[in-house]
Amino acid sequence: MLNVSIKSRRSGGPGRTLVLALGTFGVGTDAFVLAGFLPDLAASLDVPTAAAGQAVTVFAVAYAVASPLVATVTARVPRRLLLVAALVALGLANAASALAPNLPVLLVTRVLAAVAAAAYTPTAGAVAARLVPQEQRGRALAVVVGGLTAATALGVPLGAALGALLGWRAALWLVAAVCLVTAAALAALLPALPGAAPVPLADRLAALRRPGVATVLGLTVLGMAAAYTGYAFVEPALRAVGVTGGGTAWMLAAYGIGAVAGNLAAGVAADRVGPAKVLTTGYAAMAATMTAFALLAAADIHSLPAVAVLAAAWGAASWCQTPPQQHRLIGAAPDQAPLLVALNSSAIYLGIGAGTLVGGLTIPTGAGAMFAVAAVLALAALTLTTRPASPRAGLR
């Protein structure tokens, strides 16, 4: 009977995995979509653009902080219930964001959305692995994570296009609809899956004391800060190099295509040449791209083909970081791989929050200065990557 139950549970694994990926697509779109129209959001709420950028910052920081806490608190909750509840909460939080009358209310709703997202994404990956045979787990995890990448490539530019037509609130309503529809689908399709014994938060954080782990996570924060110093304010940044109106969505699409290509290529290259070489190449490319954007903005040069190429390179350099960083973490502490990958996700969002904060401080002085600061951060990440690493720490 047990074997029959397992086979029944796994028979629809691939289809259910796609539904789980639709949820991560909603999470990824929600995390980044507001960056596409911060000036409009700022005008609507009667605040400066830099202040409006706090909507991106608080989501990222809240996600990073909440992720290990939520995993600890909800460990015993049945998985289907947790996933459905997280998506419903995320949908309602986005609806509340769309209705926000002022910036303080918007920030509160973004924090609520981040907590719900932090409950959904790691759980979706774990559930996907349980729904398929062991030999298919890698593919199932790739599909679920692919929802986040697809959000970068498709969800954010689509949200920007919708926002250009109907306003930023319409984009949030769209995310809310995706979350609620996915919640209904998961409630109908997922089998009952029990929770697990909770791992104390202190035990989760003890992994930070392993050799090399803190170094890798710190580099993730710095690298993502370099990537998102400009991305959080992408609309005024692109306007400074001649991209306006519907062109923003097209440039975000170029960024997304670069992100997908960079992520996939980095995973293959990390296995072939080692993660450190991939990171060195990625940070060098990011520094060069940010410098080129700074020069275009400072010289007031408008070349849409050049900006499109740079946008794609920006996306590739930003998202080529994750596979080699995960590779290094697993090498540093293979017995704690799932936990370290989760901590790296928190570091990614901390970096996004830090980058948004830096972008907000520098954008009033002009897009050229903002891109120049991003280039400096990328060079700092490059310097840290090229420092000699201890082989026993698993960082090569």
Side-chain angles (χ1 to χ4, degrees):
M1 289 295 292
L2 179 59
N3 289 336
V4 172
S5 175
I6 292 175
K7 288 180 180 179
S8 174
R9 188 174 75 191
R10 290 178 172 171
S11 62
R16 292 162 178 163
T17 299
L18 289 174
V19 179
L20 289 167
L22 182 60
T24 57
F25 176 83
V27 170
T29 303
D30 187 29
F32 307 128
V33 72
L34 284 182
F37 30 77
L38 283 182
D40 293 338
L41 187 155
S44 173
L45 300 181
D46 194 25
V47 296
T49 299
Q54 295 174 21
V56 180
T57 303
V58 298
F59 183 100
V61 174
Y63 184 107
V65 174
S67 189
L69 297 174
V70 170
T72 301
V73 172
T74 63
R76 295 188 184 276
V77 178
R79 302 295 90 178
R80 180 175 61 190
L81 174 60
L82 178 59
L83 287 169
V84 172
L87 283 179
V88 170
L90 185 59
L92 294 177
N94 272 276
S97 293
L99 295 170
N102 52 52
L103 183 60
V105 172
L106 178 65
L107 296 182
V108 170
T109 62
R110 300 319 293 153
V111 170
L112 296 176
V115 173
Y120 180 82
T121 304
T123 307
V127 167
R130 293 172 66 176
L131 289 176
V132 298
Q134 184 172 356
E135 63 272 15
Q136 297 179 14
R137 286 180 181 173
R139 280 173 284 177
L141 289 169
V143 169
V144 173
V145 174
L148 293 173
T149 310
T152 305
L154 298 173
V156 173
L158 286 175
L162 179 63
L165 292 174
L166 302 175
W168 62 273
R169 298 180 190 272
L172 292 176
W173 280 115
L174 176 62
V175 175
V178 170
C179 293
L180 294 176
V181 168
T182 307
L186 289 179
L189 296 175
L190 280 186
L193 296 170
V199 177
L201 183 61
D203 291 350
R204 293 177 182 271
L205 299 181
L208 294 173
R209 295 195 292 269
R210 298 290 287 268
V213 168
T215 300
V216 175
L217 294 177
L219 183 61
T220 292
V221 174
L222 181 58
M224 294 307 293
Y228 276 81
T229 292
Y231 188 86
F233 299 90
V234 67
E235 186 177 345
L238 290 177
R239 189 186 305 129
V241 291
V243 179
T244 58
T248 300
W250 288 108
M251 295 305 166
L252 287 173
Y255 175 98
I257 292 170
V260 173
N263 185 67
L264 293 175
V268 175
D271 288 331
R272 293 182 177 178
V273 302
K277 290 182 179 178
V278 176
L279 289 168
T280 298
T281 302
Y283 291 135
M286 188 186 301
T289 301
M290 296 297 99
T291 300
F293 268 123
L295 292 174
L296 288 178
D300 198 27
I301 297 174
H302 298 172
S303 172
L304 295 184
V307 173
V309 171
L310 289 173
W314 186 4
S318 298
W319 287 99
C320 77
Q321 303 177 63
T322 304
Q325 285 291 79
Q326 290 179 343
H327 196 294
R328 297 171 100 200
L329 287 169
I330 292 171
D335 57 315
Q336 293 182 299
L339 171 60
L340 292 176
V341 170
L343 288 175
N344 194 55
S345 295
S346 292
I348 287 172
Y349 279 92
L350 277 177
I352 292 171
T356 305
L357 180 61
V358 172
L361 294 173
T362 55
I363 190 63
T365 63
M370 183 178 66
F371 280 125
V373 171
V376 170
L377 293 175
L379 287 172
L382 177 62
T383 301
L384 289 178
T385 306
T386 54
R387 288 174 56 187
S390 169
R392 68 182 285 267
L395 301 185
R396 293 185 181 277

